[in-house]
Amino acid sequence: MSHLPLRAAALPLLALLAQSTPSPASAGAEDIEEKAQVCASCHGEAGTPVDKSYPLIWGQHQGYLYLQLRDFKLGQRKNEIMNGIAQDMSREDMMGLAEYFSKKTWVNLNQPRASPEEAKRAETAITAGQCSSCHGAEGLGDSTNPRIAGQRREYILKTLQDFRARTRTNNPWMSDITNTLAPEDLEALASYMAGR
Ligand code: HEC
Ligand code: HEC
């Protein structure tokens, strides 16, 4: 009890120090903007990914983006490129980047609508897989449920196939669902979601 006043007196000084000396782990807005430059080389300067197999991350939900970065860092989601990139990220970096990209505007990639045959197949699969219960009736998602409407077709197909093959390991639920569907259903779903 006797040393309590001393600690109380030291507190304001500590608080001051904490304010004036940014710790290396904490990332300010400028810092994040700089870190996001690295991402632009693949995910696009203006939000359009440079390769068709790369996902759109502009305007994706913050909670979802953060979880993916965390999973890449921990190796729970495997991808050589992203595992390397996330490896040295602090929690603050990941939170900051997730917030930064979630605030950008989703880019309309103007992908063609699914053919009537594919749309019919996709709608049947959506009912069977209850996709809307998590991704929403329009596929817009929220929080940790990703937006899938308007995502790049090639990427959607690849990642659904990865879930199905259980090479994308970070959501066993999505793996179980895709395993109840046929490979052609995944093709139809990718076209349908991309073209919405
Ligand atoms: C050299 C290219 C490259 C760079 C640079 C890059 N990424 Fe990626 N990113 C990818 C690829 C490829 C994937 C898809 C991985 C897969 O298929 O599983 C991906 C996936 C992601 C995902 C998952 C998206 C989703 O819909 O699941 C997030 C989030 C992400 N990247 C964020 C970032 C951030 C933040 C940076 C910068 C710090 C970055 N990426 C830099 C290539 C890159
Ligand atoms: C119980 C909730 C739930 C249901 C039902 C569900 N999903 Fe998902 N889905 C998720 C979650 C959560 C994720 C993110 C997993 C992660 O963190 O990696 C996801 C991921 C995805 C992705 C990857 C998105 C990206 O950017 O990488 C696609 C594509 C997808 N779901 C499509 C579907 C389709 C199509 C159906 C129906 C056949 C479906 N989902 C049913 C919850 C669900």
Side-chain angles (χ1 to χ4, degrees):
M1 270 318 240
S2 63
H3 56 268
L4 196 67
L6 195 96
R7 283 182 56 196
L11 263 178
L13 179 69
L14 279 178
L16 208 86
L17 278 173
Q19 267 173 18
S20 57
T21 342
S23 81
S26 81
E30 274 170 43
D31 198 21
I32 288 298
E33 187 132 17
E34 205 177 296
K35 290 194 160 105
Q37 292 303 309
V38 179
C39 325
S41 63
C42 293
H43 293 285
E45 291 287 347
T48 302
V50 302
D51 186 282
K52 287 195 168 174
S53 65
Y54 296 176
L56 210 165
I57 60 170
W58 279 38
Q60 183 57 278
H61 302 292
Q62 187 175 349
Y64 174 73
L65 289 174
Y66 170 73
L67 286 185
Q68 298 316 300
L69 291 173
R70 186 204 62 182
D71 288 353
F72 282 130
K73 179 182 166 82
L74 299 176
Q76 280 168 2
R77 178 171 172 186
K78 290 189 175 54
N79 176 263
E80 260 181 47
I81 301 173
M82 286 307 303
N83 290 149
I85 286 171
Q87 201 171 20
D88 297 325
M89 279 186 193
S90 66
R91 187 168 179 276
E92 284 74 16
D93 287 345
M94 297 189 288
M95 299 276 270
L97 286 164
E99 187 187 6
Y100 175 85
F101 284 111
S102 70
K103 284 184 174 156
K104 299 272 185 190
T105 307
W106 184 273
V107 177
N108 183 350
L109 300 174
N110 284 312
Q111 299 175 99
R113 290 186 84 83
S115 67
E117 298 77 46
E118 278 192 312
K120 204 169 159 232
R121 188 181 258 276
E123 278 160 14
T124 307
I126 286 169
T127 307
Q130 296 181 354
C131 320
S132 308
S133 66
C134 300
H135 295 285
E138 309 291 329
L140 298 177
D142 67 28
S143 167
T144 54
N145 293 312
R147 171 173 177 161
I148 50 178
Q151 182 55 276
R152 184 70 88 180
R153 182 187 186 279
E154 286 78 0
Y155 169 76
I156 302 177
L157 180 59
K158 178 188 175 287
T159 214
L160 287 176
Q161 289 169 340
D162 287 349
F163 275 130
R164 195 169 191 275
R166 300 190 190 275
T167 49
R168 179 167 171 180
T169 48
N170 64 338
N171 192 290
W173 193 300
M174 277 303 305
S175 291
D176 291 346
I177 291 170
T178 43
N179 271 285
T180 66
L181 302 170
E184 306 82 71
D185 293 331
L186 304 189
E187 297 264 357
L189 282 166
S191 303
Y192 185 78
M193 289 299 174
R196 290 192 94 171

